Amino acid sequence: MSLRRKRIDFNAAFEQFKSDMYKMFDFSGTSNSVSGMGMHQLVYDICNSIPKPFPEKLYCAIADFLVEYTIGVRKAILSHDEVVPTYAMYWKQYSIASYYLNMACEYLNGHITKQKKTGAIGVHPFVGQSNYPRQDIQALAHQIWREQIVVEIKLRKQNRIMYQIFETIRQDREGRQVNYSVVQEAILSLVALNSKTDQPLELYIDEFETPYIAQTKAYYKMESNIKLSSCTISQYMRSAIDRLAQEVSRNSRYCHPTSHARVIQECETQYISEHQTNIQSEFERMIANERTEDCTMAYSLLSRIEDGIEPLLEIFEKYITTVGRDIILGLGASISKDPREYVEKLIDLHSKYLQMCLKVFANDAAFVAAVDKAFRTVVNDTATNSAARSPEVMARYTDTLLRKKQKTGLTEAEIEDRLTRVVILFKYIDDKDLFQKFYSRVLAKRLIFDSSLSAEAEANMISRLKSACGVEYTSKLQRMFTDMTISNDLNAGFKEWLSMNDLSNGLDFGILVLTAGSWPVNSTQPLEFQCPDELEKSITNFTTYYDSRHSGRKLSWFWHWCRADVRVNFLDKRYELSLSLYQFAVLAVFNAGDSFTVHEIRSQIKLVEFELIRVVKSLVEAGLLTTTATNMDLNSVIKLNFGFSNKRTKLKISGGLQADTPQETTATLKAVDEDRRLCIQASIVRIMKSRRVLSHVQLVQEVIEQCKTRFSPNVPMIKKCIEQLLDKQYIERADDSLDRYIYVT
């Protein structure tokens, strides 16, 4: 290429350049007949001719050529019935030719646009006397195509191009075969035509996107209404999902990426938002009839729109709550007798709907939370069935699993699985302190009466509770196991001490020494009792031994926890009986005779009347004693049953007495109330010590927040505790406001 400036005849030089442009734009030239280097040289020579260069004249001449060319193209396009394929063909050629022309005019572009960039004083914003702004040749070509073809056809020829584009898309939606590639080329030309402007998508949005969205709205509004009126909700949802999938694919073929979200949103509005109440109203029946596929479709559709799944969550939660309450109501008073059906039905219900969340609702946290809310309501509901006191019932259920010789028909692995699932339900209990009290009672009985399934199973259960509620929650339970270990060592030492001091009396006498604060000792149990003479010596020996090892400790004997294994010798057949200590004491009275009144028995063992009658009745029911009295009282005569017979030689008579009595349950509830009162008072003191001054409402809220992990404190109880602390002068009312409290240091 020669850089030497020369004298140029513009008309002659441009005729040669114009000839090359014709060949380039008509695609009639070959690589030999059209030389890019030659065109580049011509541009350079014209822009640097002497004595006067012609850059602006060349620019305007190229513009005139492009105008003339595009007018011819417009006529050619409009001469066809199907204008879109012709438009796409000419645009493709034009865009390629304008790209190469822009490369050939690179020097001219630099000259024209340089003045615009430098902002030289006196530089006209348009090139020469034309209306063309200072831009490169490709941008100029795009502007001319836009004005001479797109705008002219829109204004003068009823916008035939866009009309046919929209018609083709409609046919595509109806499933007809279309040539989508030419439509895509035509639509994306609108993006390319403005690519070099300040608003590159303006033409595309005005000419295609806005009317396309409007037509999409009208099309799917009509189609969705027709489908909904002619098919079931299930069929409608399946159609909606298919349509939305098709529209996503269609968008990728026709639309610029910036349009995808807006077009799909309009489809979702017409197919989902406008008819969401119809889907939501059917949702409960879908759940009830276990139409999981329909539930998935409803979730898939409604999750696409804002707040679409909120009503589903409410329906889902309400339905589970209703089902759970129906189960509780149907069980009636049987819950008190056998907790298994109550707990297992709730476990199965929870597992069922948790699996539904996983498989149907993609494990959506909102639906899992709905299950949690529903079960929290069900588990803590005592209004539906007063017998459904979940803390007590679940504690008794764990007892049936962890007690050996229970006919559960479950393997160890199945028992562990049930216990794991029980803890899941346990987490929903508001009054966890109440569960702790009842659980500690049944655990104490299993440990004392040596009826635990296994130490490993017990430890695993406590570990689960610790994970759910923390170390403090299970500290007393852990202490109970520690006491059992210490007691085993103590018994071994006691036996050795008896042997060394030659004090053995032939009885296998074992003692459990328990920490009073860690074990659920019930103060309502009758403590007045005269131990049988047969045991007095052993008790005295153990007291002597224990006092020799521990100073300052006092042993309190809880006879109601004791049991005795004895042989009976008054029958032809020998039997070994497992008895409570009270039962043994009653039978020991009969060593002195065959018949006694209840009053005579009481005079010897000193047991209170109601407990004595209960014990005697258990022995009568077992067949060891007999009586003719219908309603037993102190004057009833009790006799040994010399006709007693049983196939088994080892009998457990104490089983019925190990169950909780109504008095024990009442005492447990009373103890829980007392613990709660102390817990609330401690919380109030901690809060006030930290905050110093606090309003009544804030104090109540903070107390509820602190205590809610163990139980749900009620406001009247909190108020009562505040009054008690005011009386004890831990806190005082502010002088200027009775509604504010001050911590007293």
Side-chain angles (χ1 to χ4, degrees), residues 216-229 233 236-237 240 244 264-281 301-302 304-308:
T216 299
K217 177 181 178 179
Y219 183 88
Y220 283 120
K221 183 175 184 178
M222 180 182 292
E223 181 178 276
S224 62
N225 285 330
I226 292 171
K227 281 190 178 295
L228 192 61
S229 63
I233 286 293
Y236 176 81
M237 291 190 298
L244 290 170
I264 294 300
Q265 184 179 13
E266 190 56 56
C267 296
E268 291 170 347
T269 299
Q270 299 309 318
Y271 248 109
I272 306 172
S273 299
E274 292 296 318
H275 304 292
Q276 60 179 310
T277 53
N278 299 82
I279 299 173
Q280 290 159 0
S281 63
L301 290 172
L302 293 174
R304 291 169 174 260
I305 62 175
E306 188 176 358
D307 297 329

Side-chain angles (χ1 to χ4, degrees), residues 29 185 226 429 603:
E185 187 76 37
I226 292 171
I429 296 176
S603 65

Side-chain angles (χ1 to χ4, degrees), residues 389 392 438 441 522 660-670:
R389 299 183 297 272
E392 179 184 353
F438 281 107
R441 285 196 64 80
N522 208 322
D660 279 355
T661 63
Q663 293 86 354
E664 287 176 327
T665 301
T666 302
T668 300
L669 295 174
K670 186 177 179 181

Side-chain angles (χ1 to χ4, degrees), residues 116-130:
K116 177 184 177 182
K117 291 176 183 177
T118 57
I121 298 174
V123 175
H124 196 267
F126 299 103
V127 179
Q129 302 302 313
S130 72

Side-chain angles (χ1 to χ4, degrees), residues 370-384:
V371 174
D372 291 340
K373 289 179 184 177
F375 271 87
R376 189 164 285 109
T377 302
V378 171
V379 166
N380 295 291
D381 180 15
T382 54
T384 303

Side-chain angles (χ1 to χ4, degrees), residues 333-586:
S334 66
I335 297 174
S336 302
K337 299 175 183 177
D338 187 357
R340 286 177 293 184
E341 193 172 7
Y342 168 84
V343 177
E344 288 173 5
K345 281 192 173 183
L346 288 187
I347 286 174
D348 292 341
L349 188 70
H350 182 269
S351 179
K352 175 182 177 179
Y353 287 106
L354 215 56
Q355 283 296 311
M356 178 176 274
C357 289
L358 179 64
K359 296 178 180 178
V360 177
F361 304 121
N363 209 24
D364 190 320
F367 279 88
V368 175
V371 174
D372 291 340
K373 289 179 184 177
F375 271 87
R376 189 164 285 109
T377 302
V378 171
V379 166
N380 295 291
D381 180 15
T382 54
T384 303
N385 185 346
S386 59
R389 299 183 297 272
S390 56
E392 179 184 353
V393 175
M394 286 190 198
R396 286 169 46 223
Y397 177 74
T398 58
D399 187 49
T400 63
L401 294 176
L402 291 170
R403 188 181 293 275
K404 63 184 176 183
K405 296 183 181 178
Q406 289 287 318
K407 296 179 180 179
T408 59
L410 301 173
T411 64
E412 286 188 18
E414 288 172 334
I415 289 173
E416 288 293 323
D417 179 62
R418 291 288 176 92
L419 290 172
T420 300
R421 292 161 72 184
V422 166
V423 172
I424 294 173
L425 284 186
F426 160 77
K427 292 177 182 178
Y428 297 122
I429 296 176
D430 287 338
D431 299 329
K432 291 183 172 61
D433 59 336
L434 198 54
F435 174 89
Q436 183 191 42
K437 284 290 183 185
F438 281 107
Y439 186 82
S440 63
R441 285 196 64 80
V442 293
L443 173 62
K445 290 184 178 182
R446 289 198 300 274
L447 295 178
I448 290 171
F449 299 123
D450 192 25
S451 59
S452 285
L453 182 66
S454 69
E456 183 182 1
E458 296 283 6
N460 289 342
M461 184 61 192
I462 291 177
S463 178
R464 294 184 186 99
L465 294 176
K466 185 191 295 183
S467 298
C469 297
V471 176
E472 184 182 353
Y473 188 81
T474 57
S475 59
K476 288 185 178 180
L477 303 179
Q478 295 278 17
R479 179 63 185 169
M480 290 164 71
F481 282 95
T482 303
D483 285 349
M484 295 300 292
T485 303
I486 293 172
S487 294
N488 289 335
D489 296 339
L490 200 61
N491 279 309
F494 177 56
K495 288 179 180 179
E496 187 178 342
W497 182 82
L498 288 174
S499 178
M500 288 174 59
N501 292 280
D502 196 22
L503 295 174
S504 297
N505 59 359
L507 292 179
D508 186 4
F509 186 80
I511 292 291
L512 296 176
V513 180
L514 313 177
T515 306
S518 301
W519 291 74
V521 178
N522 208 322
S523 60
T524 62
Q525 285 293 335
L527 299 179
E528 185 184 358
F529 175 70
Q530 177 63 50
C531 189
D533 294 339
E534 292 85 348
L535 299 177
E536 281 293 345
K537 184 178 179 182
S538 296
I539 291 172
T540 303
N541 287 338
F542 182 80
T543 303
T544 303
Y545 167 73
Y546 190 81
D547 289 343
S548 68
R549 294 193 56 177
H550 302 282
S551 61
R553 293 188 183 182
K554 182 182 177 182
L555 291 174
S556 298
W557 296 89
F558 288 89
W559 309 114
H560 59 286
W561 291 109
C562 300
R563 61 192 177 94
D565 294 332
V566 300
R567 290 194 185 96
V568 292
N569 300 315
F570 68 94
L571 299 169
D572 295 336
K573 186 178 178 181
R574 282 197 171 190
Y575 294 95
E576 291 184 8
L577 307 178
S578 178
L579 307 167
S580 72
L581 183 59
Y582 293 157
Q583 289 172 326
F584 168 66
V586 170

